[in-house]
Amino acid sequence: QARFSRSRSAESTGSGPAVLLVMGLARPLLTFRTQKPEPVRFILIDASLSMKTRGRAEAAREQARAIVNKLASNERAALIALSSEALILAELTADREKLFEAISRYQPNGGTVDYGAGFREIWRQLQSEPQVAVQADIVSDFQESGLVEQSEALASETASLRVATYP
């Protein structure tokens, strides 16, 4: 048999009802966030001139397909081709077939890669999104990429963004 002992508390001193009355009048609001941010992923594929070199474009497509195949069931992704500007091949979607179709349409078009354009496009698409956990996957050969030079400028834009690179 368990024994319970009462300590001297608000209940035993008779102030319990007063505490409950004060709490009721104060109307405290307790909120708990139990929902995790929705994961979204942006696949940025280098479409610069160097990607026209034999085999590089197909290797980039294969890497992008591998990323799509590893998406979680509740994860959406977008596909963006990068050269001197960002070209949206697929908006954020959970439809893997649309993503695979977009990957098949990817073609290097020349110019130099501008990572800033890609990150600006990511932020544009995120304007209409609720809280999300964002990852950017960069698929590139990193030839004359300027990534190091652009990294300082991108630091403020990518502060809340997880970035993964795939050579």
Side-chain angles (χ1 to χ4, degrees), residues 80-98:
I80 302 170
L82 287 181
S83 62
S84 54
E85 61 184 27
L87 174 64
I88 303 158
L89 299 176
E91 295 275 347
L92 278 173
T93 181
D95 185 340
R96 291 181 187 208
E97 286 306 312
K98 283 185 181 179

Side-chain angles (χ1 to χ4, degrees), residues 54-125:
R54 191 171 135 211
R56 289 185 183 170
E58 188 53 40
R61 282 187 204 94
E62 284 304 311
Q63 184 60 57
R65 286 183 194 107
I67 293 167
V68 170
N69 281 327
K70 291 180 183 177
L71 293 175
S73 61
N74 64 334
E75 191 170 12
R76 292 181 299 145
L79 186 70
I80 302 170
L82 287 181
S83 62
S84 54
E85 61 184 27
L87 174 64
I88 303 158
L89 299 176
E91 295 275 347
L92 278 173
T93 181
D95 185 340
R96 291 181 187 208
E97 286 306 312
K98 283 185 181 179
L99 292 168
F100 288 129
E101 288 169 12
I103 291 167
S104 68
R105 288 193 314 271
Y106 157 76
Q107 288 295 324
N109 58 13
T112 59
V113 67
D114 180 1
Y115 296 102
F119 289 110
R120 285 188 294 278
E121 179 56 33
I122 289 172
W123 295 131
R124 187 195 68 75
Q125 289 195 32

Side-chain angles (χ1 to χ4, degrees), residues 17-61:
V19 170
L20 291 175
L21 179 62
V22 169
M23 291 292 289
L25 292 174
R27 294 183 180 237
L29 177 62
L30 299 175
T31 59
F32 298 97
R33 291 193 184 263
T34 57
Q35 188 177 16
K36 285 183 168 181
E38 176 188 358
V40 294
R41 187 177 298 243
F42 290 88
I43 304 167
L44 305 175
I45 303 181
D46 182 346
S48 67
L49 184 62
S50 65
M51 295 299 285
K52 289 186 175 187
T53 301
R54 191 171 135 211
R56 289 185 183 170
E58 188 53 40
R61 282 187 204 94

